[in-house]
Amino acid sequence: MHFINAKTILTPRSMNIYRGCLHGCIYCDSRSLCYQFKHQFEDVEVKQNAPELLEDALRKKRKRCMIGTGSMGDPYIPPEKELRIMRRCLEIIERENFGATLITKSDLVLRDLDLLAEINRKTKAVLQMTLTTYDDRLCKLIEPGVCPTSKRFETLCKFRDEGIPTVVWLSPLLPFINDTVENLDGILDMCIRAKVKGIVFFGIGLTLRDGNREYFYRALDRNFPGLKEKYVRNFGQKYEAESPNSSFLIERLKRVCMENEMMLGADSIFKWIEEFPDADPLQPELF
């Protein structure tokens, strides 16, 4: 882990406090070479001046809006427990009457439930939680450095009880690993019981770019002997590795979401997340 003073934080409504991650998810696209990391992925870059930058940026905003984080780096990696940078950012968002949405795999977000509840009371807060498998044992193989799915489900339920809307990212379902009816039904059952607003969904499979492909294949050799060869035979150097069960699982997913009035997709959910209850102008934009 190393610390920097960043020049900017919002681009234009999202931020990433940490660059890199310690969750160790075997499928992580953020490891891809196209993102041009100049340091080891696990040597997390910490934008230590993020709260100061955020406060300055929000005060220059002409309109209040939703502020998002977590698209490229989980804001609740283990060091956040002591650093508390995300919490300081949420305090600023709450004080300035903006909204907040974040993507995480960690139950550490419960530490900040009080702040997110207050933000949601005043404007809007949305928790986005990734679920890939309902099986905690499999979870430890494909997401070894993060809390098990059962803890994430408990987190979703606690946000439900606080009246804070939640969204689940069903991504990725890995071919020949967790692309099964049993796994899909297990995750959907959790979503139904947690009363999630919607499910972000891009298909049944995963993406493999230079950088993350090699990391993924090493993990397959370590945890699923012989499976790498099956991937190579089926997908070669393709960018998208689509599950052979894709069509059937998608139809099942659509039906369950419709029956339980859960939104499904990406664009419609992102549009709903970005909707802000107060669009009154603040002052002219300075940037």
Side-chain angles (χ1 to χ4, degrees), residues 133-146:
T133 174
Y134 82 101
D135 185 338
D136 282 354
R137 292 170 297 179
L138 181 57
C139 178
K140 293 308 291 183
L141 292 177
I142 64 177
E143 300 164 339
V146 68

Side-chain angles (χ1 to χ4, degrees), residues 90-274:
L90 288 175
E91 289 171 344
I92 293 165
I93 290 170
E94 185 273 329
R95 187 167 63 245
E96 298 295 328
N97 295 316
F98 281 73
T101 182
L102 54 92
I103 308 169
T104 185
K105 293 186 180 84
S106 176
D107 60 346
L108 179 56
V109 68
L110 287 171
R111 181 201 63 189
D112 297 334
L113 181 58
D114 61 330
L115 273 173
L116 289 162
E118 181 61 17
I119 291 170
N120 193 55
R121 186 189 68 79
K122 294 168 68 176
T123 56
K124 181 179 178 181
V126 180
L127 171 66
Q128 304 178 60
M129 181 72 78
T130 300
L131 301 182
T132 58
T133 174
Y134 82 101
D135 185 338
D136 282 354
R137 292 170 297 179
L138 181 57
C139 178
K140 293 308 291 183
L141 292 177
I142 64 177
E143 300 164 339
V146 68
C147 70
T149 304
S150 58
K151 291 291 186 182
R152 289 179 238 173
F153 170 61
E154 291 173 9
T155 300
L156 288 167
C157 291
K158 288 179 180 177
F159 272 73
R160 174 203 63 200
D161 294 344
E162 285 290 334
I164 301 172
T166 59
V167 165
V168 161
W169 284 61
L170 185 65
S171 174
L173 295 185
L174 308 171
F176 319 121
I177 297 177
N178 62 339
D179 60 335
T180 65
V181 170
E182 180 185 21
N183 185 52
L184 178 63
D185 286 352
I187 294 173
L188 288 174
D189 179 63
M190 290 180 176
C191 292
I192 293 166
R193 287 192 284 156
K195 296 184 178 180
V196 304
K197 176 74 174 180
I199 296 176
V200 175
F201 173 72
F202 298 100
I204 308 292
L206 79 160
T207 57
L208 292 172
R209 291 187 174 104
D210 291 344
N212 81 307
R213 180 187 293 107
E214 293 78 6
Y215 186 86
F216 179 66
Y217 281 173
R218 287 195 297 271
L220 292 186
D221 282 339
R222 185 169 60 249
N223 297 324
F224 307 94
L227 193 52
K228 179 183 77 174
E229 289 72 23
K230 191 171 184 178
Y231 266 79
V232 172
R233 287 196 307 271
N234 281 271
F235 309 118
Q237 294 296 306
K238 290 181 180 178
Y239 167 60
E240 294 184 0
E242 184 180 17
S243 165
N245 302 326
S246 180
S247 296
F248 175 75
L249 292 176
I250 289 173
E251 288 305 311
R252 193 178 188 89
L253 174 61
K254 288 179 178 178
R255 177 176 56 79
V256 173
C257 286
M258 184 176 297
E259 291 173 351
N260 291 276
E261 298 183 339
M262 290 187 294
M263 299 173 68
L264 177 65
D267 293 345
S268 60
I269 294 177
F270 294 156
K271 181 180 180 181
W272 169 77
I273 290 173
E274 291 171 3

